[in-house]
Amino acid sequence: MLSKYYPTIEQMLITDTDFIVGGFPSAFSPQGVGERPWWYDRGVNTYLLPVNCAARESLDVVWQSITELGDILQVEQAAAEEVARQKQVLAQRKPVAGKARVLIWSHDDNTPYVAGTLSISDEMIRLAGGTNAAAEVERPWGHMTWEAILMSRPDLIVLIDADWAPAKDKLSFIKAHPVLSRQLGSIPVIAMPFSETIAGIRTVQGILRINNTLSTLSTGMTDVSKLL
């Protein structure tokens, strides 16, 4: 680990790296590790995960990333085995009654930044057996007012847990708010690592986490606080 956030160009140069993989377009920006042409000119190849180039993020594109990286790094068999393993894990989903409305909240208190209909999180919710409560956000991620969130009547709120946006802080905000504490206080809430809510190696793990929670709720158990 070179840095808590994006490493600087200087930190990257010290490593004498041969290949740079970016999970987000911002990785290859002046605020990240520098632009891709700059690295090409210095003989360093780069790779941006294909999900950033897709009109809609999907699990198929995640598996495409794994396969392509396997080809690039000449570990094709290991990549194929990982994709097969993930498909096998995905098959372990539990049946869920109904279509619970799920809201995935990343950060921002005043106008929450949530997973929209074009994000991998939207497909995760669907594969887990629910529907996206942020249907009005017709892009991968976007802001949603608290009024709109209350109107969407979520059955489950997923709090993304990250160093820069701890789940406990978002939960504390709801509990301390005079209106939200009453309107959302009885809605089940779980925390999920950021890495399980984006397109990557842990996406399937995130699907199972949501699926297990929805399965618990569908059996009539509303107290899932132990999962937070």
Side-chain angles (χ1 to χ4, degrees):
M1 181 172 176
L2 300 179
S3 172
K4 185 176 181 179
Y5 302 104
Y6 285 136
T8 64
I9 290 178
E10 290 76 15
Q11 288 174 310
M12 294 292 290
L13 289 172
I14 290 174
T15 67
D16 195 25
T17 185
D18 300 304
F19 183 51
I20 305 173
V21 178
F24 302 96
S26 57
F28 298 112
S29 70
Q31 292 73 38
V33 300
E35 296 180 351
R36 301 176 75 182
W38 190 89
W39 287 103
Y40 288 140
D41 291 344
R42 284 151 184 79
V44 178
N45 288 318
T46 64
Y47 177 83
L48 179 63
L49 296 185
V51 70
N52 298 286
C53 308
R56 183 186 185 92
E57 298 178 356
S58 70
L59 199 52
D60 285 337
V61 182
V62 171
W63 291 331
Q64 176 190 342
S65 301
I66 296 173
T67 301
E68 288 183 357
L69 279 172
D71 291 342
I72 292 170
L73 300 176
Q74 298 181 345
V75 287
E76 296 90 345
Q77 182 175 345
E81 289 174 353
E82 175 58 22
V83 171
R85 184 194 69 81
Q86 291 196 13
K87 291 181 177 180
Q88 186 176 22
V89 170
L90 188 63
Q92 299 173 9
R93 286 172 295 169
K94 300 175 182 177
V96 175
K99 287 291 183 181
R101 295 176 295 277
V102 181
L103 180 76
I104 298 183
W105 177 15
S106 172
H107 59 277
D108 286 351
D109 295 338
N110 294 328
T111 51
Y113 195 66
V114 299
T117 57
L118 299 183
S119 69
I120 188 69
S121 297
D122 183 80
E123 183 171 18
M124 290 173 63
I125 293 170
R126 179 178 59 80
L127 292 174
T131 59
N132 193 345
E136 70 172 44
V137 181
E138 298 177 343
R139 50 190 180 278
W141 293 85
H143 292 280
M144 194 172 178
T145 66
W146 280 114
E147 290 80 6
I149 289 174
L150 293 176
M151 289 288 290
S152 72
R153 298 172 56 225
D155 299 299
L156 173 68
I157 298 177
V158 176
L159 306 178
I160 289 181
D161 193 26
D163 290 344
W164 39 267
K168 61 181 179 62
D169 289 354
K170 290 187 277 285
L171 183 61
S172 296
F173 175 82
I174 291 177
K175 289 183 175 180
H177 196 284
V179 175
L180 298 179
S181 58
R182 294 197 308 270
Q183 298 291 330
L184 302 178
S186 61
I187 296 177
V189 175
I190 64 170
M192 280 181 60
F194 175 64
S195 58
E196 290 184 10
T197 61
I198 58 173
I201 202 73
R202 296 183 177 88
T203 303
V204 169
Q205 188 173 321
I207 294 172
L208 287 191
R209 191 185 297 272
I210 297 174
N211 173 250
N212 288 336
T213 304
L214 294 181
S215 177
T216 299
L217 294 176
S218 68
T219 62
M221 293 178 59
T222 57
D223 182 12
V224 293
S225 57
K226 61 184 179 180
L227 299 176
L228 181 63

